[in-house]
Amino acid sequence: MANCAIVGINWGDEGKGRMVDYLTGQYDVVVRYQGGGNAGHTVINDMGKFALHLLPSGVFRPGVMNILGNGVALDCENLVTEMETIRAAGVSISPENLMVSHRASLLLPWHRELDALEEARLKDKMYGSTKQGIAPFYSDKYQKKTIQAGELLYPAQVRPYVADTGRYLRQAQAEGKAILFEGQLGALRDLDYGIYPYTTSSNTIAAYAPIGAGLPTAKIDEVVGVVKAYSSCVGEGPFTCEWFGADAEKLREAGAEYGAKTGRPRRVGPIDLVATRYGVEVQGATNIALTKLDILSLSL
């Protein structure tokens, strides 16, 4: 079976989580390969409505292994809270369906504090961070100052999930299992190819998926680029299609355009085809999944 990456074409919030949930029935493994708890993947299924920030969106499918790869910013505190929330809704989460790479670095409380302090220092020139510690975390990682999950002995809730996920993925590849790589945010937030410096601090593009997942030899056969029928953006930076006033509010309310992590209103406007074409190019999309087309009939 083919390996596939599901990625965002625009600024994020395109509907990747529900697309992963929809397609996971065709895959054996789902891997998150970058980012952390700074974005939310909303999944609506028979069990309810869920906003996943760290857990891969395949956790609702029995028989699917979900992996947090070495490229993920691993916030153990938030991960445990998220696992408890999902379990309370009747979803089974155990080492049988969730693994954490022993090479994933830990995002720690002071990373969040530094993030908030930096946004306060920038004042009117801030980047629009979610203040989840992502930029300070990746800064420490590339300065080789982080602690890896493989060194983790506490808390006991996380330790049983930590494993050599690279070995697992290599074995899965050798057995011909199908792997789904789940991207976070969108092409325009990629550190190298996005609207710098209004980007995240990791690579959101599909080409990075094998590296961040822990399987650099993987071949990605298909790239599903998720595009929303209109544009939305959380945070600062250029957003040339932006609407304001009553039109923006009507579209925002119709599409429930509020951050899954922060709850703050998203900037909205009509679809930006120039930005979308660029996103398709850098993601190498072989398929397009168009979401929220129905919202246009409710808001226009």
Side-chain angles (χ1 to χ4, degrees), residues 14 19 224-230 271 288-293:
E14 300 96 345
M19 196 56 56
V224 176
V226 187
V227 181
K228 197 150 53 181
Y230 54 91
I271 189 168
I288 293 293
L290 184 64
T291 64
K292 289 201 169 183
L293 188 61

Side-chain angles (χ1 to χ4, degrees), residues 142-162:
Y142 287 105
Q143 291 184 75
K144 301 176 288 293
K145 293 181 178 179
T146 52
I147 300 168
Q148 292 187 325
E151 303 173 79
L152 188 67
L153 297 177
Y154 178 87
Q157 300 103 314
V158 174
R159 186 66 187 89
Y161 297 87
V162 178

Side-chain angles (χ1 to χ4, degrees), residues 150-299:
E151 303 173 79
L152 188 67
L153 297 177
Y154 178 87
Q157 300 103 314
V158 174
R159 186 66 187 89
Y161 297 87
V162 178
D164 185 347
T165 56
R167 176 181 295 177
Y168 177 90
L169 288 169
R170 289 191 295 274
Q171 183 64 32
Q173 182 177 243
E175 293 173 0
K177 292 184 177 180
I179 302 170
L180 187 63
F181 301 92
E182 180 178 6
Q184 182 211 52
L185 297 171
L188 303 178
R189 294 302 193 201
D190 184 88
L191 179 61
D192 288 308
Y193 297 98
I195 305 172
Y196 191 88
Y198 302 100
T199 68
T200 191
S201 299
S202 62
N203 290 106
T204 64
I205 61 172
Y208 181 74
I211 297 171
L215 188 62
T217 57
K219 177 181 180 295
I220 298 179
D221 303 287
E222 298 180 37
V223 176
V224 176
V226 187
V227 181
K228 197 150 53 181
Y230 54 91
S231 297
S232 71
C233 170
V234 172
E236 306 300 319
F239 189 54
T240 58
C241 61
E242 187 168 8
W243 277 354
F244 300 92
D247 288 339
E249 190 59 30
K250 189 175 181 182
L251 179 56
R252 185 179 297 114
E253 288 298 318
E257 295 297 340
Y258 296 89
K261 185 66 180 181
T262 63
R264 61 184 174 182
R266 294 175 184 144
R267 301 159 69 187
V268 296
I271 189 168
D272 186 331
L273 292 178
V274 175
T276 298
R277 181 174 63 183
Y278 174 76
V280 169
E281 289 176 350
V282 297
Q283 291 287 22
T286 58
N287 302 277
I288 293 293
L290 184 64
T291 64
K292 289 201 169 183
L293 188 61
D294 58 321
I295 299 302
L296 297 183
S297 63
L298 299 175
S299 60

